[in-house]
Structure formats: structure tokens, C-alpha cells
Amino acid sequence: MNVSRRVLSGLVLGLIAEIVLWAYLRYRPFTAGLLSLTAVLPWCVLLPGLWRGLRRAALWSILLTSPYLAYGLMEMLANPGARILAAAQVLLSFAVFAAAIAHLRVTRPQD
């Protein structure tokens, strides 16, 4: 497993953990479970492809980070009580975005 694939997979796992943690700190257990399931399910579908190093999965991860980045920015600006977790989500989302682009550049097919 090359380094870019490991970094991207690790960051995605960190983002998943942060989303679940934030949901359970903020909502009741049943609501947090439903929210976590809906927020994490797209990443769980994408994660096996990232572990195998599929370029298509890295492309999808770039598109998938934008809602998490937007939600984190909105919460960071509008909700003073959630600023720390929102900032963590923004940083992790941006890091996943940058790692996916780096992975695509490293694994670019040679002409």
C-alpha cells in the first residue's frame, strides 16, 4: 500500500470518527445513530475502493468532501458551542480533499 493511499484512508477514517463523535456529543443516542449512519454511509461505500487504491474512489472522495466542508464552515460561524468540533471537521475535510488530489497526481497514468 503506497503512502498516498494510506494517508487518504487514514484521513477518511479520522473524518468518520469526528462525525460520529460530534453526533453523539450533540444529540440523543437514537438521533445521533441515525445522523451518524446517514453521514458516514457514503464514506463506508467509498472506503474499500480507497483501500484498493482505485483512482475513481479518490475522485469521488473529492466530490464527497464538499458537503462536510460546507456544514463545518456553517457551524463554525453560526454555532459558538460547536466551534472546536466544526473546526476539526473543516480541517479534516480539507485534508481529505488535498490528500485525494495528491493521490490522483501520484497515481496518474504515464503517457
Side-chain angles (χ1 to χ4, degrees), residues 16 19 22 27 34 42 44 50-51 54 64 75 77 85 88 98 101:
I16 289 171
I19 291 167
W22 192 359
Y27 301 107
L34 286 177
C44 292
L50 291 174
W51 282 331
L54 298 177
L64 195 55
E75 287 293 321
L77 295 173
L85 288 171
I101 290 175

Side-chain angles (χ1 to χ4, degrees), residues 39-55:
V40 168
L41 189 61
W43 288 111
C44 292
V45 170
L46 199 60
L47 211 48
L50 291 174
W51 282 331
R52 285 184 295 200
L54 298 177
R55 288 177 53 83

Side-chain angles (χ1 to χ4, degrees), residues 17 22 33 35 46 52 56 79-80 89 91 96 99 101 104 108:
W22 192 359
L35 179 66
L46 199 60
R52 285 184 295 200
R56 193 174 336 139
N79 188 356
Q89 184 168 349
L91 290 174
V96 167
I101 290 175
L104 288 171
R108 179 179 10 198

Side-chain angles (χ1 to χ4, degrees), residues 2-60:
N2 63 14
V3 175
S4 65
R5 192 168 58 181
R6 277 189 228 159
V7 168
L8 181 57
S9 298
L11 286 170
V12 168
L13 288 174
L15 183 62
I16 289 171
E18 192 274 336
I19 291 167
V20 171
L21 174 70
W22 192 359
Y24 276 97
L25 288 177
R26 190 164 181 196
Y27 301 107
R28 294 185 180 154
F30 180 74
T31 307
L34 286 177
L35 179 66
S36 297
L37 182 67
T38 57
V40 168
L41 189 61
W43 288 111
C44 292
V45 170
L46 199 60
L47 211 48
L50 291 174
W51 282 331
R52 285 184 295 200
L54 298 177
R55 288 177 53 83
R56 193 174 336 139
L59 283 168
W60 276 106

